[in-house]
Each structure stands twice: as C-alpha cells, then as structure tokens.
Amino acid sequence: MLRAAYVPLCEEEARELEQERQADRERTFLSWTAGVKDPRQAGKVLYPLDAILLVALCSILCREEGTCATMHAFGTLALPVLRRV
C-alpha cells in the first residue's frame, strides 16, 4: 500500500490554503443562488425564488415525493424554521 508523503507547506501556501477554507465556510445557499434569474412576473411573486429553491432542495433531501404539492406542504412547515437558520 502506498502512503502519501507529508510535505509541509511554506507560510505563504498555508496562508492561501486557510483563506480558501475561510471562503468556503462563508459560502451560503443564498450566495449560490444569487446569480439565478427569476423569470416570474414581479406582481405575481408570493415567495422569493431563493426560498422556493431552498424548500425544494430540503424537501428532496428529506425524501419527500418531489411533487409541487408535497414541496408546498413541506415548505409551509419548514420555511419558518429555515428562515431562522
């Protein structure tokens, strides 16, 4: 079995690696969805698109059926909790 050799990083490499790790920790779901354009008509929007995407993702991860009705039911219960997180 081959073992990877431990190679110590110089101070600059260690600093760059820590900056990358910090940037990864600062990424949020909202920052990932910020570039998604909302094609809906402004007057007909009840919920922001990022909230809809978050509820859809969470409902799928929680093994809901994936239908609009089950996502709506999940969102009705979960969105107040998710907004606090």
Side-chain angles (χ1 to χ4, degrees):
M1 178 152 107
L2 296 174
R3 292 186 183 181
Y6 174 74
V7 179
L9 300 174
C10 70
E11 286 184 36
E12 184 178 333
E13 290 173 326
R15 211 174 11 255
E16 288 175 3
L17 183 60
E18 183 56 35
Q19 288 174 349
E20 288 176 11
R21 288 180 179 161
Q22 182 63 29
D24 285 342
R25 286 190 290 267
E26 292 174 358
R27 288 190 185 116
T28 63
F29 183 80
L30 294 177
S31 68
W32 287 67
T33 60
V36 179
K37 295 188 189 239
D38 191 348
R40 301 175 294 167
Q41 296 175 350
K44 297 180 180 179
V45 173
L46 185 59
Y47 294 102
L49 184 60
D50 57 354
I52 293 171
L53 294 174
L54 180 61
V55 166
L57 175 65
C58 291
S59 68
I60 290 170
L61 292 175
C62 291
R63 298 187 176 178
E64 294 293 327
E65 291 177 19
T67 65
C68 291
T70 57
M71 286 185 194
H72 179 267
F74 180 84
T76 302
L77 297 173
L79 193 56
V81 175
L82 293 173
R83 284 185 174 155
R84 288 184 286 178
V85 177

